[in-house]
Amino acid sequence: MTKDVLIRICGMQWMDEGEPEKMELVMPGKYYFKNGKHTIVYEELMDDFSGSVRNMIRFSPELMDVHKTGLVETRMIFEPGKKELTHYATPMGEFMIEVATKSLELEESEERLRVVAGYELDMNYDPVSSCEISVEVCAMPGQA
């Protein structure tokens, strides 16, 4: 895998009985592999705010660690069978979230990485939704 990569993040959120809410981001980033862990780093712009969010996602077959700094500050750990309580700060306010990871799957090949986490999300100690996040990493077009 090259250092310069294209990152695609897809999120699904099921609340109550309604249709799932979908979110998708595609952006360039950097990829590193060290000590058996994959790491991607990318900047995310937020609509209606000046500044950005620096995202670092580390993952292995056992866990995914999402660390955000800048306009959003948080660190979320996705590890199957475990719950993680963390602080989530945004320009609109701060709250506590709990992530209860149900599943984590990692697909690895020379050209592509894909990690998918299924989890339950609580906000300020109240259940909010069932969620799934998929992070796909591939070489930038035109790079070998």
Side-chain angles (χ1 to χ4, degrees), residues 1-7 27-33 38-42 54 110-111 113 137-144:
M1 177 88 59
T2 63
K3 182 178 177 182
D4 294 316
V5 293
L6 194 60
I7 301 164
M27 65 251 131
K30 300 290 184 191
Y31 167 78
Y32 308 93
F33 184 78
H38 304 279
T39 301
I40 57 172
V41 179
Y42 64 94
R54 182 178 189 270
E110 288 289 322
E111 304 83 31
L113 296 168
V137 182
C138 59
M140 286 286 228
Q143 292 189 9

Side-chain angles (χ1 to χ4, degrees), residues 74-90:
T74 193
R75 183 168 183 202
M76 298 177 289
I77 308 289
F78 298 85
E79 189 172 2
K82 295 195 177 179
K83 292 182 178 182
E84 176 76 19
L85 184 65
T86 190
H87 190 75
Y88 200 98
T90 74

Side-chain angles (χ1 to χ4, degrees), residues 65-77:
D65 180 353
V66 177
H67 190 198
K68 295 176 173 281
T69 57
L71 289 175
V72 174
E73 299 273 340
T74 193
R75 183 168 183 202
M76 298 177 289
I77 308 289

